[in-house]
């Protein structure tokens, strides 16, 4: 039933039309009603991967690639680091796929990937385990968007500015602070370095 609490421009779910389960997500189709009385059907996909990848992508000129992603829960656009669900043991494959899909970035012959290890999440909203990876020396496009992923563009932030903003808690993505605290960028070698327990995986060729 209508609650009368729907804000202007928002819609209210009136009934579930269908639920489809697959190995990694629950797809929900539901009927909606707007404040003006118009009805329609909406679709949402809720992922439930057992593991996921969070990526710190850095271009060859030392800029961090952030995506502009819409958060339905907040009703606004926020800047986030690329992320994606993975099958256990396939973090690199997922990293390459998500980088291209979410940012349009491609690796070069000088790109290196390092891992900061894994983080175990308690809430289980997106996954139980998150693999943290940093990749540098990327080539970024002038413009990139992905409507299927809810991404309207990318933002290239100079490393020093990004690190300061991350450590000051200015980004909505909590992983920014974690990456900023453990990673630094060597402008001379044009590579990302990681403090503490980490290991280089390998170089990547285009």
């Amino acid at each position: 039933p209508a609650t009368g609490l729907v804000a202007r421009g928002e819609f209210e779910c009136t009934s579930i039309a269908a639920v489809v389960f697959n190995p990694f997500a629950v797809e929900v189709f539901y009927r909606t009603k707007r404040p003006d009385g118009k009805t329609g059907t909406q679709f949402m996909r809720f992922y439930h991967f057992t593991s996921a990848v969070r990526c710190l992508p850095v271009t060859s000129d030392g800029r961090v690639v952030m995506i502009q992603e819409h958060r339905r829960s907040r009703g606004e656009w926020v800047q986030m680091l690329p992320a994606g669900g993975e099958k256990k043991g396939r973090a690199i494959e997922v990293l390459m796929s998500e980088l291209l899909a979410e940012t349009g970035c491609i690796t070069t012959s000088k790109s290196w990937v390092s891992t900061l290890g894994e983080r175990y999440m308690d809430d289980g909203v997106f996954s139980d385990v998150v693999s943290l990876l940093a990749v540098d020396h990327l080539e970024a496009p002038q413009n990139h968007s992905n409507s299927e992923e809810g991404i309207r563009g990318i933002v290239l932030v100079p490393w020093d500015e990004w690190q300061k903003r991350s450590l000051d808690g200015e980004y909505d993505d909590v992983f920014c602070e974690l990456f900023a605290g453990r990673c630094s960028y060597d402008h001379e070698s044009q590579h990302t370095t990681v403090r503490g327990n980490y290991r280089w995986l390998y170089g990547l060729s285009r």
Side-chain angles (χ1 to χ4, degrees):
T3 62
L5 300 177
V6 182
R8 182 184 300 275
E10 293 183 345
F11 52 82
E12 182 173 343
C13 174
T14 58
S15 65
I16 301 295
V19 178
V20 179
F21 293 90
N22 65 50
F24 298 108
V26 180
E27 298 176 349
V28 182
F29 299 85
Y30 55 99
R31 295 186 178 89
T32 60
K33 182 178 181 181
R34 293 185 178 276
D36 59 9
K38 293 183 178 180
T39 59
T41 302
Q42 297 286 330
F43 165 80
M44 288 189 71
R45 180 182 290 114
F46 300 89
Y47 291 99
H48 51 87
F49 296 100
T50 56
S51 56
V53 170
R54 278 282 180 174
C55 172
L56 173 63
V58 185
T59 63
S60 57
D61 59 354
R63 293 182 293 174
V64 176
V65 184
M66 302 285 287
I67 60 175
Q68 293 180 302
E69 187 175 26
H70 188 261
R71 289 295 180 181
R72 298 175 69 96
S73 58
R74 296 180 51 175
E76 62 184 15
W77 295 89
V78 297
Q79 293 183 16
M80 309 284 290
L81 291 173
E86 67 158 306
K87 293 181 180 179
K88 194 65 175 176
R90 295 173 57 183
I92 295 296
E93 180 181 336
V94 173
L95 169 66
M96 295 297 99
S97 174
E98 293 300 324
L99 274 178
L100 183 61
E102 296 191 355
T103 71
C105 291
I106 60 174
T107 59
T108 70
S109 59
K110 296 182 179 180
S111 295
W112 281 84
V113 177
S114 56
T115 175
L116 285 70
E118 298 178 335
R119 289 292 181 274
Y120 292 85
M121 309 301 290
D122 294 329
D123 53 19
V125 175
F126 296 105
S127 66
D128 296 323
V129 180
V130 178
S131 299
L132 304 177
L133 301 174
V135 57
D136 56 32
H137 233 286
L138 295 171
E139 287 187 3
Q142 292 294 325
N143 297 291
H144 179 79
S145 62
N146 188 327
S147 58
E148 292 184 2
E149 298 278 354
I151 297 170
R152 71 175 180 184
I154 59 175
V155 179
L156 304 178
V157 187
W159 176 272
D160 294 338
E161 176 187 340
W162 173 83
Q163 188 173 47
K164 182 180 185 304
R165 293 181 62 184
S166 296
L167 294 176
D168 288 343
E170 295 185 20
Y171 289 110
D172 293 281
D173 189 343
V174 296
F175 286 94
C176 283
E177 185 173 355
L178 190 154
F179 275 111
R182 291 192 55 194
C183 297
S184 59
Y185 183 77
D186 187 327
H187 292 276
E188 183 175 350
S189 66
Q190 298 179 321
H191 283 302
T192 304
T193 57
V194 182
R195 176 177 58 82
N197 183 25
Y198 79 98
R199 61 188 177 92
W200 294 105
L201 295 181
Y202 47 73
L204 298 169
S205 60
R206 188 180 306 179

